[in-house]
Structure formats: structure tokens, C-alpha cells
């Protein structure tokens, strides 16, 4: 299911459903995977850094290429 707007508690409450939620459209200096949330937008068009996430079961990891 896709959401266009986030919940007011999105960044303050830890997820407890075992799912990952990926979000972007706000450039971050460093990609983060924590508490069931992935902030992946490192602004590849402006910074030259492209970030991707890999998931397998409940494990996740980040891959970054560029400057």
C-alpha cells in the first residue's frame, strides 16, 4: 500500500509490525535504516551519491555509490 503523506508520529514511534517503510523526497546526508524506516534519498541528481537498500527477511543493508 502506498501513502502520499506520513503520519504525525512516523519519526517518533518505533514500528512494531516487522515491516520496513522506505521514504524519500527529502535529501539526507547519510542514508539510514532504523526502527523499521529507511531514509534513502541521498540526492543522486545533485550530490552524485546513489543509495539503494537490500532486504531479506528482517535483515536489511545499504549500498551507496558515487562521490
Amino acid at each position: 500500500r502506498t501513502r502520499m503523506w506520513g503520519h504525525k508520529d512516523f519519526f517518533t514511534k518505533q514500528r512494531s509490525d516487522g515491516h520496513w517503510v522506505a521514504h524519500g523526497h527529502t535529501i539526507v546526508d547519510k542514508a539510514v535504516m532504523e526502527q523499521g524506516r529507511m531514509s534513502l534519498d541521498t540526492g543522486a541528481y545533485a550530490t552524485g551519491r546513489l543509495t539503494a537498500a537490500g532486504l531479506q527477511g528482517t535483515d536489511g543493508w545499504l549500498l551507496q555509490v558515487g562521490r
Side-chain angles (χ1 to χ4, degrees), residues 3-29:
R3 300 273 185 206
M4 298 300 289
W5 297 274
H7 189 274
K8 64 181 177 71
D9 296 327
F10 183 72
F11 289 106
T12 58
K13 290 193 176 179
Q14 185 167 344
R15 295 187 61 81
S16 59
D17 60 6
H19 296 283
W20 284 99
V21 174
H23 57 96
H25 298 293
T26 301
I27 297 173
V28 294
D29 290 330

Side-chain angles (χ1 to χ4, degrees), residues 26-46:
T26 301
I27 297 173
V28 294
D29 290 330
K30 182 179 177 186
V32 177
M33 290 182 76
E34 62 186 10
Q35 298 180 354
R37 292 182 293 273
M38 293 181 270
S39 182
L40 302 173
D41 191 345
T42 50
Y45 72 93

